[in-house]
Amino acid sequence: MNAAVVDTVPSPVRLKAVAAPGQPEPTPALEQLYRGFESELLVPLWTEIGGLMPPHPRSQAAPHLWQWSRLKALAHQAGEIVPVGRGGERRAIALANPALGGRPFATPTLWAAIQYLMPGEDAPEHRHTQHAFRFVVEGEGVWTVVNGDAVRMSRGDFLPQAGWNWHAHHNAASEPMAWIDGLDIPFAYYTESQFFEHGRDAISDAERGTPDRSRSERLWGHPGLRPLAQPDAPQATPLLAYRWADTDRALADQLALEDEGHAGATLSPGHAAVRYANPATGRDVLPTIRAEMHRVRRGACSRTTRETGSSVWQVFEGAGSVRVGEREWRVQRGDLFVVPSWQPLQLRCDADAASLDLFRFGDAPIFEALHQHRVQVDPA
Ligand code: 1HN
């Protein structure tokens, strides 16, 4: 190879001598030292420390809100124009955080998308190491088939799906259906840990059944009861559907207990919340993703909270306002918003809404596993 060509490749390192506290005097000798660092691809810590070691997390991501009405209209348009099948795999349209360079990433670790399936359509079988879930804000008629187990998807249901399980979806109804997908794709992308495989081109007729309850729910979906035939505790949840009726009752009971004087039943006055848990371990449903449902009572508001790591929220029902960092939005059913790391969040339910119900998913299990998780809640 011609050494002269190699020598002309510009160095990506650019160092500027500036007069500033803690910086050496900008002299010709310093300039010469910095050109030496550049040509050897070296960066001195004294020019970088502020960016590498901030006193608290400063997220690259921006707080942002996507309105459901716009997402749904565009997803419907895609349903009429864009086929679903091998290659593209899913008619899923991702939220791209405006501060993450146009990548289809809602936050530095999380993917969130609206997925749309027309009547009678199938999304083909595949598997990937990324952990995933579906959450249904409205509609019904789609069954997701996980390792051959057909799982009904209906409004308010949360359907986790741990990495490396085969899955396909099929719409057995006469109406289109939309839902949201959450995955740890950006985390897997930045850590370069992804694997992906196609499955069968078509699922069997038996798997096209539309049972009300999946095999997984019949085995694992009984509160407080663990099947003895399954002695190993799976790290990701073996329960493939968490039904709205159960979630709704849990939140209503917390608020009813609060009304009866049991303040400890809720996070703060008028703010009930539950975490979806692995029934075998009580821990998070997925190794990288935490999922929760929150209910803020009419006229109430949550405490302002900051947390390491990011999350994505979707309004399930009701109307209110949400403050994230410097931003504040009015929100209603289906709207999605992003809370970047360490940005303060406050939720408020309108005085004329029955309640504000919100689904949330975040990356807290990653930070907890690494002993990097912190939460700060403002006093009431
Ligand atoms: C995927 O498999 C699904 O199975 C949804 O529904 C979104 C985004 C990227 C890669 C795979 C699904 C996805 C995805």
Side-chain angles (χ1 to χ4, degrees):
M1 194 195 290
N2 182 342
V5 173
V6 173
D7 286 343
T8 60
V9 173
S11 166
V13 176
R14 283 276 168 270
L15 298 169
K16 216 166 129 56
V18 290
Q23 294 293 327
E25 277 298 301
T27 58
L30 186 68
E31 286 293 350
Q32 196 192 0
L33 176 66
Y34 281 6
R35 298 297 84 75
F37 287 160
E38 286 175 7
S39 67
E40 296 298 323
L41 300 176
L42 299 169
V43 178
L45 179 60
W46 62 84
T47 64
E48 287 287 314
I49 185 90
L52 292 179
M53 299 223 166
H56 54 76
R58 290 202 180 109
S59 184
Q60 296 280 319
H64 194 77
L65 174 84
W66 287 262
Q67 288 177 334
W68 184 241
S69 57
R70 305 229 182 129
L71 286 179
K72 235 183 93 174
L74 288 163
H76 185 75
Q77 251 177 287
E80 311 227 296
I81 303 173
V82 182
V84 63
R86 271 293 171 248
E89 301 292 303
R90 299 291 185 259
R91 192 184 288 112
I93 305 153
L95 310 184
N97 190 290
L100 294 178
R103 289 218 168 90
F105 299 165
T107 80
T109 52
L110 300 170
W111 165 290
I114 178 173
Q115 186 168 160
Y116 206 79
L117 216 48
M118 298 299 270
E121 266 185 341
D122 281 354
E125 189 181 59
H126 65 207
R127 65 177 176 177
H128 38 74
T129 44
Q130 291 91 340
H131 302 294
F133 71 81
R134 339 240 158 254
F135 178 74
V136 184
V137 73
E138 58 191 24
E140 59 187 355
V142 169
W143 270 256
T144 180
V145 183
V146 180
N147 297 326
D149 190 11
V151 191
R152 175 174 55 84
M153 294 172 56
S154 306
R155 170 163 158 80
D157 295 344
F158 168 70
L159 304 112
Q161 192 223 286
W164 215 234
N165 289 293
W166 295 109
H167 56 285
H169 316 308
H170 101 101
N171 188 344
S174 53
E175 296 291 323
M177 183 175 160
W179 65 89
I180 64 159
D181 297 304
L183 295 94
D184 57 7
I185 289 177
F187 176 72
Y189 175 86
Y190 288 119
T191 53
E192 302 179 336
S193 54
Q194 320 95 316
F195 292 88
F196 175 88
E197 274 180 7
H198 287 152
R200 297 161 301 167
D201 279 335
I203 54 170
S204 69
D205 285 346
E207 289 162 322
R208 245 167 237 288
T210 55
D212 192 49
R213 287 192 310 151
S214 58
R215 296 200 298 265
S216 111
E217 290 167 272
R218 290 160 66 196
L219 197 52
W220 286 100
H222 306 285
L225 298 173
R226 185 159 163 196
L228 289 195
Q230 303 278 321
D232 297 330
Q235 209 202 338
T237 183
L239 182 60
L240 299 180
Y242 294 68
R243 300 296 178 192
W244 173 244
D246 300 317
T247 312
D248 183 35
R249 197 176 320 114
L251 294 170
D253 274 344
Q254 286 187 10
L255 291 174
L257 282 164
E258 183 183 85
D259 285 338
E260 293 161 24
H262 301 279
T266 50
L267 277 179
S268 63
H271 181 190
V274 288
R275 179 186 300 173
Y276 296 98
N278 177 340
T281 62
R283 302 179 68 89
D284 284 294
V285 280
L286 297 168
T288 51
I289 295 177
R290 170 164 298 167
E292 301 165 348
M293 183 66 77
H294 291 246
R295 174 167 293 165
V296 182
R297 210 197 264 280
R298 176 195 311 263
C301 63
S302 73
R303 291 202 190 156
T304 301
T305 305
R306 299 170 189 259
E307 186 171 344
T308 328
S310 53
S311 54
V312 180
W313 294 69
Q314 184 175 35
V315 176
F316 179 67
E317 187 62 79
S321 54
V322 171
R323 195 167 52 74
V324 182
E326 318 258 271
R327 307 293 305 273
E328 182 155 0
W329 309 289
R330 303 269 322 136
V331 294
Q332 56 185 348
R333 187 200 270 202
D335 291 352
L336 289 138
F337 58 90
V338 159
V339 182
S341 189
W342 212 244
Q343 296 268 340
L345 165 73
Q346 192 176 33
L347 313 165
R348 187 180 295 275
C349 178
D350 281 355
D352 58 357
S355 67
L356 179 65
D357 287 359
L358 304 110
F359 171 76
R360 174 208 193 186
F361 71 103
D363 54 12
I366 299 175
F367 297 98
E368 282 185 355
L370 303 176
H371 301 191
Q372 306 281 16
H373 191 244
R374 287 199 201 188
V375 181
Q376 191 182 81
V377 182
D378 281 2

